[in-house]
Amino acid sequence: MNTDSYNDGAVVHTPVFIDGHSVEIPILKILKQDGTLYEGAELPEIDQKLATKVYKTLVFHRVMDERMVASQRQGRLSFYMAALGEEAASVGGAAGLKDQDMIMTQYREQGALMFRGFSLEDFMNQMFSNAKDLGKGRQMPIHYGSKELNYMTVSSPLGTQIPQATGYAYGQKLQGLDAVTICYFGEGAASEGDFHAGLNMAAVQEAPVIFFCRNNGYAISTPSDEQFKGNGIASRGVGYGIKSLRIDGNDILAVIKATQIARAYALKENAPVLIEAMSYRLGAHSTSDDPSGYRTREEEERWQANDPILRMKNWMLAQKWWDEAQDSALYTRYREEVLAAVKVSEKIEKPHLDTLITDVYDVTPVHLQAQMDELKEHINKYPDAYPFTAGKF
Amino acid sequence: MAQMNLLHAINNALDIAMTENERTVCFGEDVGYFGGVFRATSGLQEKFGKVRCFNTPLVEQGIIGFANGLASQGSVAVAEIQFADYIFPAFDQIVNEAAKFRYRSGNEFNVGKLTIRAPYGGGIAGGLYHSQSPEAYFAHTPGLKVVIPRNPYQAKGLLLASIRDDNPVIFFEPKRLYRASVGEVPEEDYQLPLGKAEILQAGNDITLLAWGAQMEIIEKAAEMAATDGISCEVIDLRTILPWDIETVTQSVMKTGRLIVSQEAPLTAGFASEIAATIQQECFLHLESPIGRVCGLDTPYPLALEKEYVADHLKVYEAIKHSINY
């Protein structure tokens, strides 16, 4: 194939530009805020059992976020990132996949991990960097990961997971597995070079990967109109030859539907899919940030009226799959459980000193062991300065 | 045994690695049908198919990002960066991702099955951007292994070891020697150990240490010194990270003198790290300051390449200076 293959447009003899905003993108909406469906809307594959699991996960997500932000304010936790108002994107994405599918995330997709069954204790142990953390206390709070649950450990650099997801999916294809990779990222991270690298390679290398953009309007304080000028992120898929879909990210049924369809397509065609979920980050970027400095209360209130969890609850009530008494009991139970779990995890001791040098390589090299021996001698000399580890090795 | 040049040896190693494991995949710019701009992957796509040996778009950060994902999935990823000079767009994927994958996940995930191949080094009239030796940047990153072979036999054995090693390895290939270096190479499978230096020539008066294409430079200088009656111990470091402190220390304890020579610029090059460690380990055995014979602290030049490089004469002068100190 060469440049001959582009010659399918009209031939003109004066310059005719294609407008930079000429791509019009429909947005998929299935569920109205009052819990009724739009006319002609097609439901995803969902029954009461799945719907209840999804809803409970959404509630758990909101409660855990709320409690952990409070814990950070109380000084019990160093850092946290809530997903207030955009929980449907991660929970719905996971609900539209199969357990064997790999989930690669940015950092605000704990909902997908909750749906997969990461326990409350696992979340807490990670956040308190204690000896029971699967990540051995090495990363800041919210950098979860679980091989068992096919959830790739979060890394802070933005967008790096995007080409990695392409490679992971390529490996799944190579093995002929009934599995795809979903890759989450924000609209801000889509400015990173890795976004362009990852999408282009996925299209060229024919990798069964679902790129899931959470367009929540802000990258820390930078609004999306200062991030890019094109028609959102979905329009970029066209340029890479990738099937793209825009959805209402606060519509849990639209998220599940889109992910289910994307999964089937990616597997059947060995091709990537791009989903852009439109939402709003109702909370702060992280506990280190205060959004009142860069946006208005009116704007926030407008989005509060689009609460994805309330929307799903209204649908569940209309289906007679859920009632108010169950609802308030669930919130109460989760609040108590999270509080209790915080109290347990914050008291668990720090990881053993030896974990400082393990996992740098598969086998610890001689020079690193020598550095550890030297460190231990030093700690023995000044035990008071190193209270977490002195006398414990 | 067959006569192979360094490219044949690399190609032969890749062939063995792809034959023994159907999950081994080779890719990079022009790596597919064309077989790479130096032909290191020649014939592999024909033999193993387009799915396992293929061209990638021109995007180094994408190649290594893709490779990280592929390796973390359990496939054996052998990625080629066309020139080491162009590895920097992938710096983040190497330094922040590959190197830290195992550590940051508490060993839930790793990219041990990743090997990055890249031609490095000068001497081909390549100017600034086809000549660099960037090993020191990566040697500063815990979690990586950095390996550089000096000849075809070493290239095959070290590359097979790198591909099979359960850590991400950067394998820099001395492109000046791709066709120039020819030697006996067994056609069967063999490995050479990572993290182990090799003593090429035993000597008593001074230790000369280098790696990759610089080995023939210090060997030539050692020959010149021999005519002056100076007995040089010549060592090939082979693995830059983690490096074989023990072998170098033992040698310097015996000779009392050390010259390290590298193609890369002097300041903060890997020779500096070696000098710092050896003065600490061997302080009371040293008869003279440790010498570094390196490129100048400039970008790699073109017209004045001959003057710039750490050639055998500069090494020879450094030997005499050390002996007469």
Side-chain angles (χ1 to χ4, degrees), chain A residues 81-102:
Chain A
M81 295 182 103
L84 187 66
E86 47 176 321
E87 298 94 338
S90 59
V91 177
L97 297 175
K98 298 210 162 131
D99 287 348
Q100 68 266 31
D101 297 329
M102 171 51 72

Side-chain angles (χ1 to χ4, degrees), chain B residues 198-210 215 217-236 251-252 254-260 312 314-323:
Chain B
E198 186 186 17
I199 300 170
L200 270 58
Q201 175 187 311
N204 296 316
D205 299 331
I206 185 166
T207 302
L208 306 185
L209 176 64
M215 287 311 298
I217 307 290
I218 64 168
E219 286 184 275
K220 205 166 167 187
E223 277 172 33
M224 288 177 73
T227 61
D228 297 339
I230 302 168
S231 159
C232 298
E233 180 139 306
V234 179
I235 302 179
D236 178 1
S251 174
V252 177
K254 179 177 73 177
T255 63
R257 292 183 167 88
L258 174 65
I259 303 289
V260 190
H312 61 287
K314 293 178 186 174
V315 178
Y316 174 60
E317 277 305 307
I319 293 169
K320 287 197 294 183
H321 182 262
S322 178
I323 295 289

Side-chain angles (χ1 to χ4, degrees), chain A residues 193-212:
Chain A
D194 273 347
F195 166 86
H196 303 276
L199 266 72
N200 189 40
M201 284 190 76
V204 174
Q205 254 75 55
E206 300 173 341
V209 51
I210 302 168
F211 296 111
F212 195 113

Side-chain angles (χ1 to χ4, degrees), chain B residues 152-223:
Chain B
Y153 176 79
Q154 294 287 319
K156 178 175 172 181
L158 289 172
L159 180 55
L160 280 167
S162 297
I163 291 170
R164 291 164 183 158
D165 188 82
D166 202 15
N167 298 283
V169 179
I170 305 183
F171 191 82
F172 285 122
E173 300 166 3
K175 62 178 173 289
R176 181 166 63 79
L177 303 183
Y178 266 159
R179 292 189 176 81
S181 178
V182 180
E184 295 277 310
V185 178
E187 293 193 70
E188 64 270 22
D189 187 356
Y190 66 92
Q191 274 180 227
L192 296 171
L194 303 189
K196 284 269 172 254
E198 186 186 17
I199 300 170
L200 270 58
Q201 175 187 311
N204 296 316
D205 299 331
I206 185 166
T207 302
L208 306 185
L209 176 64
W211 49 88
Q214 200 61 14
M215 287 311 298
E216 59 175 30
I217 307 290
I218 64 168
E219 286 184 275
K220 205 166 167 187
E223 277 172 33

Side-chain angles (χ1 to χ4, degrees), chain A residues 229-263:
Chain A
K229 283 296 174 200
N231 186 348
I233 304 304
S235 67
R236 297 182 195 173
V238 179
Y240 292 116
I242 294 178
K243 211 179 251 297
S244 305
L245 176 67
R246 176 173 287 160
I247 62 173
D248 178 345
N250 286 14
D251 177 345
I252 189 78
L253 298 180
V255 176
I256 296 172
K257 179 86 181 172
T259 318
Q260 285 175 346
I261 290 175
R263 183 183 194 278

